[in-house]
Amino acid sequence: MKTAIVYYSMTGNAKYVAGKIAEKIDSDIIRIEPVKAYPDKGAKKFIWGEKSAVMGENPALQPYEFSVEKYDRIILGTPVWAGTFAPPIRTFIKENPNIQGKRTAVFTCFSGGGADKAIEKMKKYIGIEEFEAELMLLTESTGWMIRIIPAEIWIQQRLM
């Protein structure tokens, strides 16, 4: 089964998880980035990121290589911002509506809660009832790496 891991990562957490998943299953990794990067420090990080998320913005993305026809499964990775998925993922889904017909899974990285709501919003935005698998990783500075053990189990039980 050909799998694509499509993710957005501001701080590197989703990038790390995408890499760990790719170590376990044969997959292509597609990193998406907005043309205009979000501030990644201080209050601006939260003000601009949350505003963009709450308003449901679709930022322009830097060019990426992805063809939905090449894949049987799409794994989406996103941070959780203001109880929803990151706007670059929103843009990716909008640009690739045919992922609705594929097996899809999702992982989220969060520190303030709302991952369950973000996943529900993503399902609705894609137009699906369920994901093949869902993983919510708490990324607090103390101990988030402990969550990688459940991620290993998640990969083995749900994706292999």
Side-chain angles (χ1 to χ4, degrees), residues 89-110:
I89 293 291
R90 178 178 296 279
T91 300
F92 175 82
I93 294 167
K94 183 178 180 181
E95 291 177 352
N96 297 281
N98 291 341
I99 67 171
Q100 181 183 38
K102 299 291 181 171
R103 295 173 63 180
T104 54
V106 63
F107 69 86
T108 61
C109 300
F110 69 101

Side-chain angles (χ1 to χ4, degrees), residues 9-160:
S9 186
M10 177 187 280
T11 62
N13 292 333
K15 178 181 180 180
Y16 179 81
V17 175
K20 287 296 182 184
I21 294 170
E23 287 176 9
K24 299 293 181 183
I25 61 173
D26 181 33
S27 56
D28 294 335
I29 298 178
I30 297 112
R31 180 179 181 151
I32 57 171
E33 293 292 328
V35 170
K36 184 178 178 185
Y38 292 98
D40 61 355
K41 294 184 178 93
K44 285 184 180 181
K45 172 183 176 180
F46 298 102
I47 293 168
W48 286 105
E50 287 187 15
K51 177 201 75 80
S52 184
V54 169
M55 299 301 290
E57 293 178 358
N58 291 294
L61 299 178
Q62 293 180 11
Y64 59 89
E65 289 189 34
F66 177 81
S67 176
V68 72
E69 296 80 20
K70 283 179 52 177
Y71 300 101
D72 304 302
R73 177 194 295 141
I74 317 289
I75 301 172
L76 301 168
T78 181
V80 175
W81 292 357
T84 192
F85 52 100
I89 293 291
R90 178 178 296 279
T91 300
F92 175 82
I93 294 167
K94 183 178 180 181
E95 291 177 352
N96 297 281
N98 291 341
I99 67 171
Q100 181 183 38
K102 299 291 181 171
R103 295 173 63 180
T104 54
V106 63
F107 69 86
T108 61
C109 300
F110 69 101
S111 60
D116 52 341
K117 290 194 294 187
I119 289 173
E120 291 303 314
K121 289 175 184 178
M122 190 183 294
K123 285 182 206 173
K124 185 175 180 182
Y125 192 70
I126 295 171
I128 60 173
E129 294 290 323
E130 296 296 327
F131 283 110
E132 177 183 13
E134 301 171 2
L135 178 63
M136 296 174 265
L137 295 167
L138 183 62
T139 58
E140 292 182 32
S141 59
T142 56
W144 89 274
M145 296 293 285
I146 294 169
R147 304 287 192 215
I148 294 304
I149 295 169
E152 298 276 342
I153 295 167
W154 178 78
I155 292 165
Q156 292 172 353
Q157 291 178 346
R158 302 298 305 252
L159 299 177
M160 296 182 98

